Amino acid sequence: MKSSNLIVWSLFFLCCLPFVFTIECYVCEQQEQNTDKCVKTVMQCDQKHDACNAFVAWTFPKEWTPRGERRHFISKGCDSSESCQQGLRTMAAVCKRDWFNDWACMDCCTGDRCNYYVTLGSSVPQLNLLLLLGSSCLLAISSIGWF
């Protein structure tokens, strides 16, 4: 009886072993926001996939819009490190993150659920209205001669 239990446990362990060494990634397709499906749907990746990816495109939607405004479209999934790195090299030419042009970027990471966040825009600092008002006031005061 003990040998049959050992065989059953050994088979169970061997069947479940591939799932122990795979990662989980968030998955979604063509979502406009990094909410709901993109941060709530998780997939256990295949054994050949050792990385997660996040693809972001800034472009016009397929349907007609009154002002023709661009939108973000986010896709996430499982990938292999080699394929992901190849995708990064391929996308480098179009990954500009300009607000006035279409662009597409891809991010790769390794680790469970590492593709939670996505970068939607550039890191160029935007002018702060308060800073603009403060500078204008100081300029006006200095031109009057109070300083």
Side-chain angles (χ1 to χ4, degrees), residues 40-58:
K40 293 180 182 173
T41 308
V42 178
M43 182 175 129
Q44 184 83 36
C45 299
D46 293 336
Q47 202 168 12
K48 63 184 176 184
H49 295 135
D50 59 347
C52 300
N53 66 31
F55 176 82
V56 182
W58 172 252

Side-chain angles (χ1 to χ4, degrees), residues 105-126:
C105 296
M106 184 174 174
D107 293 318
C108 303
C109 59
T110 56
D112 282 333
R113 301 180 186 196
C114 61
N115 61 342
Y116 182 86
Y117 296 105
V118 294
T119 306
L120 298 178
S122 68
S123 61
V124 176
Q126 301 206 353

Side-chain angles (χ1 to χ4, degrees), residues 1-146:
M1 190 67 152
K2 285 187 177 186
S3 64
S4 65
N5 281 343
L6 182 62
I7 292 171
V8 169
W9 281 107
S10 298
L11 288 173
F12 176 75
F13 179 72
L14 289 174
C15 291
C16 294
L17 189 62
F19 295 109
V20 173
F21 297 111
T22 60
I23 64 172
E24 291 182 342
C25 296
Y26 289 98
V27 292
C28 64
E29 283 291 325
Q30 299 293 310
Q31 301 296 307
E32 290 188 28
Q33 300 288 326
N34 192 36
T35 56
D36 295 325
K37 190 172 183 179
C38 283
V39 295
K40 293 180 182 173
T41 308
V42 178
M43 182 175 129
Q44 184 83 36
C45 299
D46 293 336
Q47 202 168 12
K48 63 184 176 184
H49 295 135
D50 59 347
C52 300
N53 66 31
F55 176 82
V56 182
W58 172 252
T59 188
F60 294 105
K62 292 178 183 175
E63 74 276 356
W64 180 84
T65 58
R67 292 184 293 222
E69 295 174 346
R70 290 178 173 88
R71 297 183 191 159
H72 290 107
F73 294 96
I74 302 167
S75 298
K76 297 179 180 182
C78 300
D79 209 343
S80 67
S81 293
E82 298 82 24
S83 175
C84 212
Q85 293 303 317
Q86 177 61 36
L88 284 172
R89 285 189 293 276
T90 303
M91 308 271 319
V94 294
C95 184
K96 304 294 184 196
R97 299 190 198 268
D98 296 327
W99 65 270
F100 52 88
N101 284 326
D102 288 357
W103 54 262
C105 296
M106 184 174 174
D107 293 318
C108 303
C109 59
T110 56
D112 282 333
R113 301 180 186 196
C114 61
N115 61 342
Y116 182 86
Y117 296 105
V118 294
T119 306
L120 298 178
S122 68
S123 61
V124 176
Q126 301 206 353
L127 188 58
N128 188 337
L129 184 59
L130 187 58
L131 180 63
L132 180 62
L133 286 172
S135 301
S136 298
C137 288
L138 285 175
L139 185 61
I141 291 171
S142 67
S143 68
I144 294 174
W146 289 356

